[in-house]
Amino acid sequence: MLNLLVNGAVIGGIIAGVVLLIIIIAIAIWYIKTHNAFVVLDSQTDEAFSTIDVYLKKRFDLIPNIVETVKGYAKHESETFIKVTEARSKAVSASTPQEKAEADKEMTQAIRNFNMVMEAYPELKANANFMDLQHQLKSIEGELSQARKYYNATVRVFNVKLGSFPSSIVGRKMRLTKKPFFEVSSPEERENVKVQF
């Protein structure tokens, strides 16, 4: 009888050890999968922001061509041209997502003001170079809008996973923090940039 009790205790200990080992392995697998998911999401948000950066650069590179084309028609509008150039310079030198978002806001407002100046010159509409630049700007603005949407979607997924339990435990271990959305702060900026003159 004592032998049965000892054998039962040993078997019970082995079963408990196996169950404990299975639980530890399951937790380790979950931790590794969650860690890797955070690595993928972090990389996706970086890639999405990089895409915004590419379209911002395309827009910033296009602006001097538009300004030079319009200068020939609107020589006395130098203050507007200076503001566009200053906004472009600030945007090009921005390095963090927050700085780039702020510079984008200023650039959008400068383009809006610039568009108002261009509307005052109907003969500009007949200029083939200007029409081509206008089409390129419209295309870039659409691509930029899509890139912002993609970035914000990836940030949302990342932030939700980071804030959800139990994945938040892994996120804290990795020292991850919530990522900022690419937002606009004023109602005027929520409207599309007008490029139809």
Side-chain angles (χ1 to χ4, degrees), residues 66-76 81 85 114:
I66 294 174
V67 168
E68 287 305 313
T69 302
V70 175
K71 270 185 181 177
Y73 289 91
K75 293 183 176 60
H76 63 281
F81 300 135
T85 304
F114 189 68

Side-chain angles (χ1 to χ4, degrees), residues 50-118:
S50 178
T51 302
I52 290 175
D53 213 19
V54 167
Y55 289 124
L56 289 174
K57 175 141 179 40
K58 281 173 80 175
R59 182 170 75 169
F60 303 149
D61 291 346
L62 183 62
I63 295 299
N65 296 329
I66 294 174
V67 168
E68 287 305 313
T69 302
V70 175
K71 270 185 181 177
Y73 289 91
K75 293 183 176 60
H76 63 281
E77 301 285 358
S78 61
E79 184 181 326
T80 303
F81 300 135
I82 290 169
K83 286 183 180 178
V84 169
T85 304
E86 287 172 353
R88 180 186 178 273
S89 296
K90 184 175 179 179
V92 169
S93 66
S95 59
T96 67
Q98 291 86 355
E99 288 175 356
K100 288 183 187 266
E102 185 59 38
D104 179 55
K105 291 175 194 174
E106 288 182 29
M107 187 61 150
T108 300
Q109 187 57 47
I111 289 173
R112 237 184 222 101
N113 293 339
F114 189 68
N115 286 339
M116 286 188 254
V117 168
M118 290 186 284

Side-chain angles (χ1 to χ4, degrees), residues 11-184:
I11 292 173
I14 291 172
I15 291 173
V18 169
V19 168
L20 184 60
L21 184 62
I22 290 172
I23 290 172
I24 290 171
I25 291 171
I27 290 172
I29 290 171
W30 168 82
Y31 185 89
I32 291 168
K33 286 178 79 174
T34 304
H35 182 276
N36 290 344
F38 272 124
V39 169
V40 168
L41 287 172
D42 192 40
S43 178
Q44 282 178 338
T45 57
D46 290 345
E47 181 263 337
F49 186 78
S50 178
T51 302
I52 290 175
D53 213 19
V54 167
Y55 289 124
L56 289 174
K57 175 141 179 40
K58 281 173 80 175
R59 182 170 75 169
F60 303 149
D61 291 346
L62 183 62
I63 295 299
N65 296 329
I66 294 174
V67 168
E68 287 305 313
T69 302
V70 175
K71 270 185 181 177
Y73 289 91
K75 293 183 176 60
H76 63 281
E77 301 285 358
S78 61
E79 184 181 326
T80 303
F81 300 135
I82 290 169
K83 286 183 180 178
V84 169
T85 304
E86 287 172 353
R88 180 186 178 273
S89 296
K90 184 175 179 179
V92 169
S93 66
S95 59
T96 67
Q98 291 86 355
E99 288 175 356
K100 288 183 187 266
E102 185 59 38
D104 179 55
K105 291 175 194 174
E106 288 182 29
M107 187 61 150
T108 300
Q109 187 57 47
I111 289 173
R112 237 184 222 101
N113 293 339
F114 189 68
N115 286 339
M116 286 188 254
V117 168
M118 290 186 284
E119 287 174 5
Y121 297 90
E123 65 274 11
L124 190 58
K125 294 177 190 177
N127 182 301
N129 289 336
F130 175 72
M131 295 302 288
D132 180 51
L133 292 170
Q134 174 188 1
H135 175 71
Q136 289 179 47
L137 181 60
K138 184 177 181 180
S139 174
I140 289 170
E141 288 299 325
E143 292 167 343
L144 187 54
S145 174
Q146 292 303 315
R148 286 178 188 136
K149 286 179 187 176
Y150 176 67
Y151 171 77
N152 283 342
T154 59
V155 165
R156 179 185 49 79
V157 171
F158 179 87
N159 288 346
V160 166
K161 187 163 190 73
L162 186 61
S164 300
F165 183 80
S167 60
S168 60
I169 296 168
V170 178
R172 278 196 300 267
K173 288 261 187 208
M174 294 174 70
R175 295 193 173 126
L176 298 174
T177 58
K178 284 191 169 191
K179 295 188 180 280
F181 286 100
F182 206 96
E183 299 175 322
V184 293

